[in-house]
Amino acid sequence: MTSPRIIGVGTSVPKTSYTQQALLNEFNITDPRVRSMFLNSAIERRGLTLPPLLPDGTRGTETQGDLLRKQRSHGLSMGREAIEACLKNTNAELADVRYLCVVTSTGLLTPGFSALLIKELGIDRHCSRLDVVGMGCNAGLNALTAVAHWAAAHPGELAIMVCVEVCSAAYVFDGTMRTSVVNSLFGDGSAAVAVRTPENAYEEDPATGPALLRFSSCIVPEAIDAMHYEWDDSHGKYSFYLDPEVPYVVGSHAEVAFERLVEGTGLRRSDISRWVVHAGGKKVVDSVRLNLGLTRNDVRHTTGVLRDHGNLSSGSFLFSYERLTSEVHPAPGEFGVFMTMGPGSTIEMALAGW
């Protein structure tokens, strides 16, 4: 039986990018605790769309309506660019797309991005589609599960998943430690991946990308409030919250999540040669690495994405995967693990094989 394969990837970030120091200057942040958080985050710069400049040189305050308009306009732009880059990488065209799944957690739009992108790109009106909304940083793998199952049921047909995260459309600027944690970490970005199941075993080509062999989920209900998105009455907009214990919650459940993924396969951690881990933050990555016994080299693409873009929410792991594809291609018989973490609290994993 043939498995669905990843056959291409593409990414997009805003044209405006800021160093952590530049952001501190932009918002005149002098609190030493907040400054330390920004400057010790292992992040060098991030793509963001900041509030408009006022005549006095300060940044304006955006209403929730302004933020939703930002989500739509910049999300459409980045989503289009990511899909086009992915199709170019795949040697496919828009006319080949039969299924479009769009993931976002940074704004609520109805109709959703899937419908908006089909119109924007001129994709066939009969294209099947799915919007995955509000699941957070883990959602890319939740959606990839659905995409892989669709591809498995439709051999030879092309499915595209795109993560569209305008994190700057979910920021609150009030100088508190709570909002500063979020503001110091997340960046804007979009990433698309193409998935297709060969029509028969003779068409399988490991050089195109890995087969998606199985998926697993591990939710930690007792930590359900550790990461959440809620309405902030004092600011009249949505606000994201991250509990300081998140790295330890994720790390302490990483091993059991991995064991669930490989249960019955005979595989051990030493058999996994490629790791594609969500760039959730320095402490999160360090906790995962410690609990799974990974080396710094194992998570080099994760830390590289964090350094250059910050936490890109649901699409972060695809940015890491894109960097993996630029290296020497894995040999046939190698295995990899994709891992994302997010609200729930949840750890999602996928086993990939070349």
Side-chain angles (χ1 to χ4, degrees), residues 97-129:
V97 180
R98 295 289 180 270
Y99 185 84
L100 178 65
C101 175
V102 187
V103 181
T104 190
S105 299
T106 51
L108 177 62
L109 300 172
T110 304
F113 271 130
S114 66
L116 296 174
L117 282 167
I118 285 173
K119 179 182 179 182
E120 175 83 6
L121 289 163
I123 295 173
D124 189 283
R125 66 176 61 196
H126 302 294
C127 177
S128 298
R129 63 189 179 91

Short mmCIF file of all heavy atoms in Angstrom, two decimals, residues 97-129:
data_model
loop_
_atom_site.label_atom_id
_atom_site.label_comp_id
_atom_site.label_asym_id
_atom_site.label_seq_id
_atom_site.Cartn_x
_atom_site.Cartn_y
_atom_site.Cartn_z
N VAL A 97 -4.39 21.73 -8.41
CA VAL A 97 -4.81 21.65 -7.01
C VAL A 97 -6.24 21.14 -6.91
O VAL A 97 -7.17 21.72 -7.47
CB VAL A 97 -4.69 23.03 -6.32
CG1 VAL A 97 -5.14 22.94 -4.87
CG2 VAL A 97 -3.26 23.55 -6.41
N ARG A 98 -6.41 20.05 -6.15
CA ARG A 98 -7.74 19.45 -5.98
C ARG A 98 -8.27 19.59 -4.54
O ARG A 98 -9.45 19.38 -4.28
CB ARG A 98 -7.70 17.96 -6.34
CG ARG A 98 -7.39 17.70 -7.81
CD ARG A 98 -8.58 18.11 -8.69
NE ARG A 98 -8.31 17.86 -10.11
CZ ARG A 98 -7.75 18.74 -10.93
NH1 ARG A 98 -7.44 19.96 -10.48
NH2 ARG A 98 -7.53 18.44 -12.18
N TYR A 99 -7.38 19.93 -3.63
CA TYR A 99 -7.77 20.04 -2.21
C TYR A 99 -6.92 21.13 -1.58
O TYR A 99 -5.70 21.15 -1.74
CB TYR A 99 -7.53 18.71 -1.50
CG TYR A 99 -8.00 18.65 -0.05
CD1 TYR A 99 -9.33 18.35 0.25
CD2 TYR A 99 -7.12 18.85 1.00
CE1 TYR A 99 -9.77 18.27 1.57
CE2 TYR A 99 -7.54 18.77 2.33
CZ TYR A 99 -8.87 18.48 2.60
OH TYR A 99 -9.29 18.40 3.91
N LEU A 100 -7.58 22.05 -0.89
CA LEU A 100 -6.87 23.15 -0.24
C LEU A 100 -7.29 23.22 1.22
O LEU A 100 -8.47 23.41 1.53
CB LEU A 100 -7.18 24.48 -0.92
CG LEU A 100 -6.52 25.73 -0.29
CD1 LEU A 100 -5.01 25.67 -0.40
CD2 LEU A 100 -7.05 27.00 -0.94
N CYS A 101 -6.31 23.08 2.10
CA CYS A 101 -6.55 23.19 3.54
C CYS A 101 -5.76 24.39 4.06
O CYS A 101 -4.55 24.49 3.81
CB CYS A 101 -6.09 21.92 4.25
SG CYS A 101 -6.21 22.00 6.05
N VAL A 102 -6.44 25.30 4.75
CA VAL A 102 -5.79 26.50 5.27
C VAL A 102 -5.89 26.53 6.79
O VAL A 102 -6.97 26.33 7.36
CB VAL A 102 -6.40 27.79 4.69
CG1 VAL A 102 -5.57 29.00 5.12
CG2 VAL A 102 -6.46 27.72 3.17
N VAL A 103 -4.75 26.78 7.43
CA VAL A 103 -4.66 26.83 8.89
C VAL A 103 -4.38 28.26 9.34
O VAL A 103 -3.51 28.92 8.77
CB VAL A 103 -3.51 25.93 9.40
CG1 VAL A 103 -3.43 25.96 10.92
CG2 VAL A 103 -3.67 24.50 8.89
N THR A 104 -5.11 28.75 10.32
CA THR A 104 -4.78 30.04 10.92
C THR A 104 -5.30 30.08 12.36
O THR A 104 -6.30 29.44 12.69
CB THR A 104 -5.36 31.22 10.12
OG1 THR A 104 -4.83 32.44 10.62
CG2 THR A 104 -6.88 31.26 10.20
N SER A 105 -4.59 30.82 13.19
CA SER A 105 -5.01 30.98 14.58
C SER A 105 -4.98 32.44 15.02
O SER A 105 -5.17 32.74 16.19
CB SER A 105 -4.08 30.17 15.50
OG SER A 105 -4.15 28.80 15.20
N THR A 106 -4.73 33.35 14.09
CA THR A 106 -4.49 34.74 14.47
C THR A 106 -5.62 35.68 14.08
O THR A 106 -5.47 36.89 14.12
CB THR A 106 -3.16 35.23 13.85
OG1 THR A 106 -3.13 34.94 12.44
CG2 THR A 106 -1.99 34.53 14.52
N GLY A 107 -6.77 35.12 13.69
CA GLY A 107 -7.92 35.96 13.36
C GLY A 107 -9.06 35.11 12.84
O GLY A 107 -8.83 34.03 12.28
N LEU A 108 -10.28 35.57 13.02
CA LEU A 108 -11.45 34.83 12.56
C LEU A 108 -12.07 35.53 11.36
O LEU A 108 -12.47 36.69 11.44
CB LEU A 108 -12.48 34.73 13.69
CG LEU A 108 -13.80 34.02 13.34
CD1 LEU A 108 -13.54 32.57 12.94
CD2 LEU A 108 -14.77 34.10 14.51
N LEU A 109 -12.11 34.82 10.23
CA LEU A 109 -12.69 35.35 9.01
C LEU A 109 -13.77 34.40 8.51
O LEU A 109 -13.58 33.18 8.52
CB LEU A 109 -11.62 35.50 7.92
CG LEU A 109 -10.44 36.41 8.22
CD1 LEU A 109 -9.40 36.29 7.11
CD2 LEU A 109 -10.89 37.86 8.34
N THR A 110 -14.89 34.94 8.05
CA THR A 110 -15.94 34.14 7.43
C THR A 110 -16.45 34.89 6.21
O THR A 110 -16.97 36.00 6.36
CB THR A 110 -17.10 33.89 8.41
OG1 THR A 110 -16.60 33.27 9.59
CG2 THR A 110 -18.13 32.96 7.78
N PRO A 111 -16.31 34.37 4.98
CA PRO A 111 -15.70 33.09 4.65
C PRO A 111 -14.21 33.07 5.00
O PRO A 111 -13.56 34.11 5.09
CB PRO A 111 -15.93 32.96 3.14
CG PRO A 111 -16.05 34.37 2.66
CD PRO A 111 -16.74 35.11 3.77
N GLY A 112 -13.70 31.85 5.17
CA GLY A 112 -12.32 31.68 5.61
C GLY A 112 -11.31 31.83 4.49
O GLY A 112 -11.65 32.06 3.33
N PHE A 113 -10.05 31.67 4.88
CA PHE A 113 -8.95 31.85 3.93
C PHE A 113 -9.04 30.87 2.75
O PHE A 113 -8.58 31.19 1.65
CB PHE A 113 -7.60 31.67 4.62
CG PHE A 113 -7.05 32.94 5.20
CD1 PHE A 113 -6.61 33.00 6.51
CD2 PHE A 113 -6.93 34.09 4.42
CE1 PHE A 113 -6.08 34.17 7.04
CE2 PHE A 113 -6.41 35.26 4.94
CZ PHE A 113 -5.97 35.31 6.25
N SER A 114 -9.60 29.67 2.96
CA SER A 114 -9.65 28.73 1.84
C SER A 114 -10.47 29.31 0.69
O SER A 114 -10.04 29.30 -0.47
CB SER A 114 -10.22 27.38 2.29
OG SER A 114 -11.57 27.49 2.68
N ALA A 115 -11.64 29.85 1.00
CA ALA A 115 -12.48 30.46 -0.03
C ALA A 115 -11.82 31.70 -0.61
O ALA A 115 -11.82 31.92 -1.83
CB ALA A 115 -13.86 30.80 0.54
N LEU A 116 -11.23 32.52 0.26
CA LEU A 116 -10.60 33.76 -0.20
C LEU A 116 -9.41 33.47 -1.11
O LEU A 116 -9.20 34.15 -2.12
CB LEU A 116 -10.15 34.59 1.00
CG LEU A 116 -11.26 35.09 1.92
CD1 LEU A 116 -10.68 35.78 3.16
CD2 LEU A 116 -12.20 36.04 1.19
N LEU A 117 -8.63 32.44 -0.78
CA LEU A 117 -7.46 32.11 -1.60
C LEU A 117 -7.87 31.45 -2.92
O LEU A 117 -7.22 31.66 -3.95
CB LEU A 117 -6.51 31.20 -0.82
CG LEU A 117 -5.65 31.91 0.22
CD1 LEU A 117 -4.99 30.91 1.16
CD2 LEU A 117 -4.58 32.79 -0.46
N ILE A 118 -8.94 30.66 -2.91
CA ILE A 118 -9.43 30.07 -4.16
C ILE A 118 -9.82 31.19 -5.13
O ILE A 118 -9.49 31.16 -6.32
CB ILE A 118 -10.60 29.12 -3.89
CG1 ILE A 118 -10.07 27.81 -3.29
CG2 ILE A 118 -11.40 28.85 -5.17
CD1 ILE A 118 -11.15 26.86 -2.82
N LYS A 119 -10.50 32.21 -4.61
CA LYS A 119 -10.86 33.34 -5.47
C LYS A 119 -9.63 34.14 -5.87
O LYS A 119 -9.45 34.49 -7.05
CB LYS A 119 -11.84 34.26 -4.73
CG LYS A 119 -12.26 35.48 -5.55
CD LYS A 119 -13.20 36.40 -4.78
CE LYS A 119 -13.55 37.62 -5.65
NZ LYS A 119 -14.43 38.56 -4.92
N GLU A 120 -8.76 34.44 -4.92
CA GLU A 120 -7.57 35.24 -5.17
C GLU A 120 -6.65 34.60 -6.21
O GLU A 120 -6.11 35.29 -7.09
CB GLU A 120 -6.79 35.42 -3.85
CG GLU A 120 -5.46 36.13 -3.97
CD GLU A 120 -5.58 37.64 -3.98
OE1 GLU A 120 -6.69 38.16 -3.77
OE2 GLU A 120 -4.55 38.30 -4.21
N LEU A 121 -6.48 33.29 -6.12
CA LEU A 121 -5.54 32.59 -7.00
C LEU A 121 -6.19 32.05 -8.27
O LEU A 121 -5.49 31.64 -9.20
CB LEU A 121 -4.90 31.43 -6.24
CG LEU A 121 -3.91 31.84 -5.15
CD1 LEU A 121 -3.66 30.68 -4.19
CD2 LEU A 121 -2.61 32.31 -5.77
N GLY A 122 -7.52 32.03 -8.31
CA GLY A 122 -8.20 31.48 -9.47
C GLY A 122 -8.17 29.96 -9.51
O GLY A 122 -8.19 29.36 -10.59
N ILE A 123 -8.13 29.34 -8.33
CA ILE A 123 -8.18 27.88 -8.25
C ILE A 123 -9.58 27.41 -8.68
O ILE A 123 -10.57 28.11 -8.46
CB ILE A 123 -7.85 27.42 -6.82
CG1 ILE A 123 -6.39 27.79 -6.47
CG2 ILE A 123 -8.06 25.92 -6.65
CD1 ILE A 123 -6.02 27.53 -5.02
N ASP A 124 -9.65 26.23 -9.26
CA ASP A 124 -10.93 25.69 -9.73
C ASP A 124 -12.00 25.75 -8.64
O ASP A 124 -11.75 25.37 -7.49
CB ASP A 124 -10.73 24.23 -10.19
CG ASP A 124 -11.97 23.68 -10.89
OD1 ASP A 124 -12.94 23.34 -10.18
OD2 ASP A 124 -11.95 23.61 -12.13
N ARG A 125 -13.17 26.20 -8.99
CA ARG A 125 -14.25 26.39 -8.01
C ARG A 125 -14.74 25.07 -7.41
O ARG A 125 -15.42 25.07 -6.38
CB ARG A 125 -15.42 27.11 -8.65
CG ARG A 125 -16.15 26.32 -9.75
CD ARG A 125 -17.36 27.09 -10.25
NE ARG A 125 -16.98 28.37 -10.83
CZ ARG A 125 -17.86 29.35 -11.06
NH1 ARG A 125 -19.14 29.18 -10.75
NH2 ARG A 125 -17.46 30.48 -11.60
N HIS A 126 -14.40 23.96 -8.03
CA HIS A 126 -14.80 22.65 -7.50
C HIS A 126 -13.74 22.05 -6.58
O HIS A 126 -13.91 20.90 -6.13
CB HIS A 126 -15.11 21.70 -8.65
CG HIS A 126 -16.18 22.20 -9.57
ND1 HIS A 126 -17.48 22.37 -9.16
CD2 HIS A 126 -16.12 22.62 -10.86
CE1 HIS A 126 -18.20 22.85 -10.18
NE2 HIS A 126 -17.40 23.01 -11.22
N CYS A 127 -12.70 22.80 -6.28
CA CYS A 127 -11.64 22.33 -5.38
C CYS A 127 -12.22 22.10 -3.98
O CYS A 127 -12.89 22.96 -3.42
CB CYS A 127 -10.53 23.37 -5.31
SG CYS A 127 -9.18 22.97 -4.18
N SER A 128 -11.97 20.91 -3.43
CA SER A 128 -12.40 20.64 -2.06
C SER A 128 -11.55 21.47 -1.10
O SER A 128 -10.39 21.78 -1.40
CB SER A 128 -12.24 19.16 -1.73
OG SER A 128 -13.05 18.37 -2.58
N ARG A 129 -12.12 21.85 0.05
CA ARG A 129 -11.36 22.74 0.93
C ARG A 129 -11.72 22.50 2.39
O ARG A 129 -12.76 21.92 2.72
CB ARG A 129 -11.62 24.20 0.56
CG ARG A 129 -13.06 24.64 0.74
CD ARG A 129 -13.31 26.03 0.15
NE ARG A 129 -14.70 26.42 0.31
CZ ARG A 129 -15.18 27.09 1.37
NH1 ARG A 129 -14.36 27.45 2.35
NH2 ARG A 129 -16.45 27.42 1.45
#
